[in-house]
Amino acid sequence: MHYTGHPTVLAFSKCNYNCLSFLRPKDFPTLQNDTFLRAARGEETEHVPVWCMRQAGRYLPEFRESRAGKDFFDTCRSPESCCELTLQPLRRFPFDAAIIFSDILVVPQAMGMDVLMVAGKGPTFPDPLKEPEDLQRLRTAVDVEKELGYVFKAITLTRHKIEGKVPLIGFTGAPWTLMAYMIEGGGSNTYSKAKRWLYRHPEASHMLLRMLTDVIVEYLLGQVAAGAQALQVFDSHAGILGPVQFKDFSLPYLRDIARRVKDKLKETGQDVPMIVFAKDAHYALEDLSQSHYEVVGLDWTIDPRSARERTGGKVSLQGNMDPCALYSPKDRISEIVQKMVEGFGTRGYIANLGHGLYPDMDPENVGAFVEAVHQHSKLMIKQI
Ligand SMILES: Cc1c2[nH]c(c1CCC(=O)O)Cc1[nH]c(c(CCC(=O)O)c1C)Cc1[nH]c(c(CCC(=O)O)c1C)Cc1[nH]c(c(C)c1CCC(=O)O)C2
């Protein structure tokens, strides 16, 4: 990493994590490209902003090199590493936003659960929640600053090091998605252990979801205080629920998170756009567009025009190219992007993929995607 310029940052590079406290969330460099923030608020832009979920990831050789031989969660706990990994994609592509490198599973860790990242298997909980009694194992009053302060430090450091080029997005997992991991113990095709709780132990399920919601609200507020300029809530396993269970076990908590975060931020005169990404929950689009989030993120199973109709202009939309379209030749990517942007329209729209980038994707094609969004949208906006 090259630390240049500001003397405090220079000093920082020589010290370790423990002496980061002097690096306060203040005097951040002026934001030069606010296209993403304007689009989130439905304001006019000169081009459609674009970023990719998992833009800091294994498809980049420099990411693989930085991560080599290091434990995943040790990397998450190192603000310097998180900062470097967040900045890597920005050095290659003109993305309009950065997302802090971290993971949604740091929240269950903060609540007292062990989570390991096992190569070839993914996230693994050695001791998942099995029965409602297991809720007693969780910390009741989580000291978010103490348990997750390392994420806040990573955000503050990164916001300085981005030098105002683009806004920095903070994020969290949604209560249902985190609950699913905590009970399942890892990834699953059916999430049937977690869904079993919903049918068999609805009260305990709501108790766990409420506990998660309380931690998430504080966590998101801490991220904003540390320098996050937008927030995304990932409900990656929303689709497995179906409309009835989503309305009962996910939506109320997603709403509660947005309302509580916004109410608190209003007290201090802050306004930070919030994005909800409930993957495969197309059945809930109408509800999601009235859930206090400025932006609704979409996976690729939703047609852009019908998403616009169903959300009735109430929110900005983000998404939703099939990540696998990046396996196409570059001219085909450009055509697919053009259709997508035409479908969504250029106002109140943030281009993204419908889910994260995969490790075997060609960085050059990611570059072609970003360029196509900028190029087509600039032309379309000029013609309006
Ligand atoms: C479900 C979920 C997780 N983590 C996350 C989600 C929600 C988004 C989604 O639906 O994908 C969120 C996440 N995880 C990561 C980010 C970083 C920011 C970014 O998008 O660039 C974000 C936003 C880094 C990461 N998190 C992870 C990686 C890859 C592992 C590595 O770097 O060694 C990255 C870049 C690990 C991870 N962490 C998780 C999974 C399923 C995996 C993949 C495991 C595997 O493929 O082996 C849990």
Side-chain angles (χ1 to χ4, degrees):
M1 239 198 288
H2 306 288
Y3 290 100
T4 51
H6 203 275
T8 54
V9 176
L10 202 68
F12 161 76
S13 70
K14 295 195 188 100
C15 71
N16 62 21
Y17 166 73
N18 291 328
C19 71
L20 262 167
S21 52
F22 69 86
L23 206 75
R24 299 264 171 239
K26 59 173 189 187
D27 305 328
F28 287 133
T30 311
L31 184 59
Q32 293 147 30
N33 173 4
D34 66 348
T35 315
F36 164 85
L37 296 177
R38 278 187 281 142
R41 298 191 176 105
E43 296 165 13
E44 245 174 63
T45 59
E46 296 73 42
H47 64 263
V48 164
V50 55
W51 67 282
C52 289
M53 290 185 269
R54 286 279 160 90
Q55 67 189 29
R58 285 171 290 183
Y59 73 104
L60 290 176
E62 60 271 33
F63 178 95
R64 296 194 296 270
E65 198 180 306
S66 304
R67 289 264 309 103
K70 292 186 196 119
D71 174 72
F72 178 77
F73 287 110
D74 281 349
T75 305
C76 289
R77 279 181 213 107
S78 156
E80 297 98 323
S81 298
C82 293
C83 176
E84 166 60 17
L85 294 172
T86 305
L87 296 179
Q88 282 178 350
L90 301 182
R91 295 190 190 115
R92 278 189 186 245
F93 314 113
F95 282 127
D96 294 285
I99 182 160
I100 190 68
F101 176 86
S102 186
D103 201 83
I104 60 167
L105 300 176
V106 299
V107 166
Q109 286 176 336
M111 293 170 81
M113 295 191 80
D114 286 337
V115 191
L116 312 168
M117 195 60 71
V118 178
K121 188 170 170 215
T124 305
F125 290 63
D127 203 4
L129 305 175
K130 291 202 178 70
E131 295 298 331
E133 302 83 83
D134 293 334
L135 293 181
Q136 289 163 20
R137 298 200 330 242
L138 300 177
R139 284 194 188 107
T140 40
V142 178
D143 184 340
V144 172
E145 187 72 42
K146 175 168 165 264
E147 301 299 332
L148 293 164
Y150 62 87
V151 179
F152 304 153
K153 284 178 175 135
I155 288 174
T156 303
L157 175 62
T158 307
R159 174 92 184 261
H160 279 289
K161 295 294 293 172
I162 278 183
E163 295 169 336
K165 287 194 183 81
V166 291
L168 179 62
I169 306 169
F171 70 90
T172 180
W176 156 247
T177 289
L178 295 178
M179 169 180 172
Y181 275 109
M182 289 159 86
I183 294 172
E184 210 69 38
S188 158
N189 286 329
T190 58
Y191 285 90
S192 52
K193 289 185 184 129
K195 286 182 76 180
R196 175 181 164 271
W197 270 52
L198 304 184
Y199 286 104
R200 203 177 175 112
H201 310 299
E203 278 176 26
S205 298
H206 281 298
M207 186 188 280
L208 174 54
L209 291 164
R210 267 196 305 272
M211 288 169 78
L212 281 159
T213 299
D214 289 346
V215 178
I216 287 166
V217 167
E218 265 202 62
Y219 183 41
L220 290 177
L221 287 168
Q223 293 189 41
V224 173
Q229 291 152 292
L231 298 168
Q232 176 153 327
V233 180
F234 286 91
D235 207 355
S236 304
H237 301 314
I240 203 97
L241 288 176
V244 175
Q245 284 193 312
F246 184 80
K247 252 197 160 85
D248 197 359
F249 293 104
S250 180
L251 188 65
Y253 300 98
L254 290 171
R255 283 206 171 116
D256 198 32
I257 289 167
R259 190 177 306 123
R260 284 163 66 185
V261 168
K262 284 191 180 299
D263 283 353
K264 196 81 200 166
L265 290 178
K266 227 183 252 160
E267 283 174 21
T268 51
Q270 283 168 291
D271 177 19
V272 171
M274 293 182 73
I275 308 165
V276 61
F277 175 63
K279 189 169 177 290
D280 296 323
H282 23 82
Y283 51 77
L285 252 187
E286 287 82 358
D287 280 335
L288 288 167
S289 70
Q290 299 171 58
S291 299
H292 319 293
Y293 291 83
E294 281 80 0
V295 185
V296 174
L298 304 168
D299 64 80
W300 64 93
T301 61
I302 308 172
D303 170 69
R305 282 195 173 80
S306 76
R308 273 290 184 218
E309 277 165 28
R310 291 175 54 197
T311 54
K314 290 189 195 70
V315 284
S316 292
L317 296 175
Q318 174 176 282
N320 73 341
M321 192 175 84
D322 180 358
C324 293
L326 290 176
Y327 295 127
S328 313
K330 290 200 191 91
D331 49 350
R332 181 81 187 108
I333 293 174
S334 172
E335 286 168 16
I336 295 170
V337 165
Q338 185 174 8
K339 281 216 179 71
M340 176 175 76
V341 181
E342 281 169 0
F344 280 110
T346 52
R347 187 82 179 253
Y349 175 48
I350 298 161
N352 203 314
L353 303 174
H355 201 199
L357 284 157
Y358 304 140
D360 67 349
M361 280 167 170
D362 184 344
E364 274 205 27
N365 288 12
V366 175
F369 170 69
V370 175
E371 196 190 304
V373 171
H374 285 166
Q375 192 199 335
H376 290 302
S377 63
K378 268 182 204 156
L379 280 175
M380 284 181 222
I381 289 167
K382 268 196 199 136
Q383 281 161 11
I384 292 173

